Amino acid sequence: MGYNAPPMSLRYDLHSHSLASDGTLSPSELVARAAAAGVNVLALTDHDETGGVAEAERAAIKAGICLVPGVEVSVTWGKQTIHVVGLNVNTGHAPLQEGLTRSREFRNWRAEEMGRRLAKHGIEGAYEGAVARAHGRIISRTHFAHFLAENGHAASVRDVFKSFLKPRKPGYVPGEWASLEEALGWIHGAGGQAVIAHPARYTMSASKRRKLLGEFVELGGEGLEVVSGSHSRGDNFSMAQLAKNHKLLASAGSDFHGPENPWVELGRLQTLPDGCRAIWEGWQLDECARRAVS
Ligand code: AMP
Ligand code: MN
Ligand code: MN
Ligand code: MN
């Protein structure tokens, strides 16, 4: 194929995690695994953190793939936690970093409080256990879940969430993340596009979901993660319809956290349902994409 061949068959995966948040691979290992899985364009979207992006960019050059600098911002909307992915963000943008720093400060306080609540519930050492698993990076409920599962408090990580870490459970700490408006302000200020992550996963009525998307569009939000590793096939189709109704661009991402979860693999995604407009259609993917199609 020639140098100017259209990048028709690029494989995109626009949602993934590394050790910089609650993933279990380093950014370099993640990029190498994505390349081996045939991914041409990978977004690294750690929770409230962009500290893995520089290493991932270096690894992507070596592996011959495109790295999209991203972040997954935790948002409180209508008393629920919503995740907004920022794609192609300039990680050097000061207001973005100030915002993310504030979110991480809330995370640190929340982790201590989770430890205190679990201790009251008879589970000692959970905070220390989570800290040890976070490798000095952000502390997520995932780190608590691994500690609790490994110490026999539940049969699996999923069961730990169900019994201890979801709202109204003993280890759950309510609190305020960024508002939707703040998150979009940080992402847009940093030159990025905002995408509502795994929209089918939130427990909310159809009318509340429409309200969320209405406000998101009003604030200038661009995309909906129509295809997600945490969606069923049916979810993908209903989210495609929702994206069309709200004139949102469609994104696709595995939400890969590590090889220990065999259900989710990098780049293993359903193609966007017919009628979706892909968020990457307008992207200029320079060198790396040309390498991929030549
Ligand atoms: P946090 O941002 O610290 O509140 O943690 C949220 C993370 O926990 C998500 O990004 C997932 O990686 C993980 N998580 C949430 N719910 C579950 C669940 N039911 N089973 C396994 N992991 C979950
Ligand atoms: Mn996570
Ligand atoms: Mn998420
Ligand atoms: Mn995620």
Side-chain angles (χ1 to χ4, degrees), residues 15-17 21-22 45-47 72 83 85 197-198 201 225 254-257:
H15 188 154
S16 71
H17 296 272
S21 65
D22 60 350
T45 56
D46 277 307
H47 297 286
E72 183 173 15
H83 287 170
V85 162
H198 41 66
R201 231 177 59 194
E225 203 170 72
S254 63
D255 205 1
F256 179 84
H257 279 71

Side-chain angles (χ1 to χ4, degrees), residues 1 8 89 117 135 195 204 216 229 245 249 257 261 264:
M1 232 187 280
M8 288 188 312
V89 290
R117 290 187 187 203
H135 303 281
V195 175
M204 57 173 71
F216 180 72
N245 293 347
L249 299 170
H257 279 71
N261 176 3
V264 174

Side-chain angles (χ1 to χ4, degrees), residues 12-15 85 87 193-199 213 216 221-228 231 235-253 269-283:
Y12 291 83
D13 189 335
L14 301 181
H15 188 154
V85 162
L87 297 174
Q193 287 174 300
V195 175
I196 296 190
H198 41 66
L213 295 196
F216 180 72
E222 286 90 349
L224 192 68
E225 203 170 72
V226 165
V227 170
S228 163
H231 283 172
D235 289 338
N236 291 344
F237 284 110
S238 43
M239 292 306 114
Q241 192 55 50
L242 212 53
K244 275 181 252 173
N245 293 347
H246 291 267
K247 298 194 168 53
L248 283 163
L249 299 170
S251 186
L269 289 163
Q270 191 192 323
T271 52
L272 289 180
D274 285 346
C276 286
R277 275 185 54 218
I279 193 159
W280 53 80
E281 264 173 29
W283 290 1

Side-chain angles (χ1 to χ4, degrees), residues 6 44 80 128 156 167 170 177 181 185 190 198 246:
L44 177 62
Q80 274 180 290
E128 292 73 16
S156 68
W177 296 105
E181 188 171 8
H198 41 66
H246 291 267

